[in-house]
Amino acid sequence: MIPKYCFKDDEGQLWFKESLTPSVGNSLRVDELIYAEDSDLQHLILFDNETHGRVLAIDGLVQVSMSDEFIYHEMVTHVPLLAHGSAKSVLIVGGGDGGAMREIQRHPGVERIVLAEIDGDVITFSRKWLPKVSKGSFDDSRVEIKIVDGVDYMKTGDELFDLIIIDSSDPVGPSAVLFTEEFYASCHKRLAEGGILVTQSGLASVHSDVVENTSEYFSRIFKHHGFYAITVPTFSGGVMTLGFATDDESRIAPAAGVIEERFAALDIDTRYYSPAVHRGAFALPRSLEALLKR
């Protein structure tokens, strides 16, 4: 039986087919199929690919590959943490693969990390099959794992955080509610003074409406907002955008030398992130700038 989201070519080779939109897609050869099953909430498929290594897709959309996961996980964490400079509490909504937690835990000043993941099976799955992504981050004493609906958690809780990261899958299916103005307003209420919200805002070329809508929502909720861009080879569709919102202008535009000093003091090795990349990532192409609300 051919797994969901897969097909065989004329030579009988199995391929995974990702459909970003009805007219845009991408295929990856399945060199070894490891897992393909439905959880209670979504479909998980895990396979090995010669170029990208181990690949995880949820509901037909690639989420993690071992060849380049560090790009996304470094940029979704180090950018806001170094922009803030003194974050002690971090909330991750989603992030069940543990990669974002792994990078956050490299900041000794962070005292508490809450992971709010709707699907506990993703955590169990990732711990078993993707241990090189989490690298033990689930077992860190600073971590509290909550298997909850992120929307409900943000709406009903009252604990404040210095940084909130929305580490969601693409804006379809169960994750669609994490891209709404109501949800972002709930996030704003859960930020401590000077806090930062960072969101996965989709691939600019195929999700331009998400970028435009998110920018409009942010402009009504936060005093300062912007987007920064990364390119992850496994995420077909080109530039991925990450939303950045805060009420503290110094967080979104740190003074010259500040990021460099904080990164040097952190004394860690990174594979993608650097202070120069941090600042450069906020320089967007004009076609993206045209989508943003001021």
Side-chain angles (χ1 to χ4, degrees):
M1 182 176 178
I2 298 177
K4 191 186 297 186
Y5 305 110
C6 293
F7 68 95
K8 286 188 176 181
D9 63 20
D10 293 341
E11 298 179 354
Q13 173 64 53
L14 187 65
W15 290 77
F16 167 78
K17 183 178 181 180
E18 178 182 48
S19 297
L20 297 171
T21 73
S23 62
V24 177
N26 182 49
S27 295
L28 297 174
R29 192 178 70 199
V30 179
D31 294 321
E32 181 179 355
L33 179 65
I34 298 168
Y35 185 96
E37 299 287 345
D38 287 310
S39 72
D40 290 340
L41 297 173
Q42 50 204 348
H43 182 269
L44 306 177
I45 184 169
L46 187 74
F47 60 92
D48 287 338
N49 172 270
E50 182 180 9
T51 300
H52 291 298
R54 187 151 293 182
V55 178
L56 168 66
I58 297 179
D59 285 340
L61 298 171
V62 172
Q63 303 301 314
V64 177
S65 81
M66 292 308 303
S67 67
D68 54 26
E69 56 82 17
F70 64 92
I71 300 174
Y72 173 81
H73 288 133
E74 287 184 9
M75 291 297 284
V76 80
T77 56
H78 298 312
V79 168
L81 284 167
L82 289 165
H84 190 287
S86 58
K88 292 181 170 55
S89 58
V90 180
L91 168 66
I92 308 168
V93 177
D97 56 46
M101 287 198 302
R102 177 196 75 209
E103 295 301 317
I104 292 167
Q105 288 164 14
R106 303 176 77 186
H107 293 251
V110 175
E111 300 172 355
R112 176 170 164 76
I113 305 168
V114 175
L115 180 73
E117 168 63 61
I118 193 171
D119 191 349
D121 287 344
V122 172
I123 295 175
T124 302
F125 180 93
S126 297
R127 290 177 71 122
K128 179 177 181 179
W129 296 110
L130 295 167
K132 292 183 179 179
V133 174
S134 58
K135 291 185 177 178
S137 64
F138 292 105
D139 302 316
D140 189 286
S141 61
R142 293 172 287 178
V143 171
E144 180 179 345
I145 298 173
K146 297 180 181 292
I147 307 303
V148 294
D149 182 302
V151 173
D152 291 340
Y153 179 72
M154 298 306 291
K155 187 183 297 184
T156 60
D158 55 12
E159 181 181 359
L160 301 182
F161 296 91
D162 296 314
L163 169 61
I164 297 174
I165 297 173
I166 311 304
D167 185 6
S168 66
S169 54
D170 287 3
V172 295
S175 293
V177 293
L178 303 180
F179 293 79
T180 64
E181 183 172 4
E182 181 181 7
F183 177 69
Y184 295 141
S186 295
C187 292
H188 182 250
K189 293 177 181 177
R190 300 293 298 276
L191 285 174
E193 184 176 356
I196 296 170
L197 171 67
V198 164
T199 65
Q200 190 276 94
S201 298
L203 296 162
S205 64
V206 295
H207 300 135
S208 60
D209 57 324
V210 174
V211 177
E212 187 170 13
N213 290 341
T214 300
S215 181
E216 184 171 343
Y217 301 153
F218 280 0
S219 71
R220 293 199 285 256
I221 299 168
F222 294 88
K223 293 180 180 177
H224 307 282
H225 78 283
F227 291 80
Y228 59 106
I230 61 174
T231 301
V232 183
T234 314
F235 296 163
S236 61
V239 171
M240 165 173 270
T241 54
L242 296 168
F244 189 108
T246 180
D247 285 339
D248 187 337
E249 187 175 13
S250 70
R251 308 301 195 202
I252 200 166
V258 169
I259 297 298
E260 290 75 8
E261 290 175 7
R262 290 172 179 170
F263 184 65
L266 193 59
D267 192 26
I268 62 172
D269 291 325
T270 50
R271 298 173 65 189
Y272 187 90
Y273 176 90
S274 72
V277 168
H278 178 141
R279 294 187 183 279
F282 283 87
L284 301 178
R286 296 188 69 181
S287 58
L288 265 178
E289 284 279 358
L291 299 174
L292 308 186
K293 306 296 181 182
R294 298 303 180 188

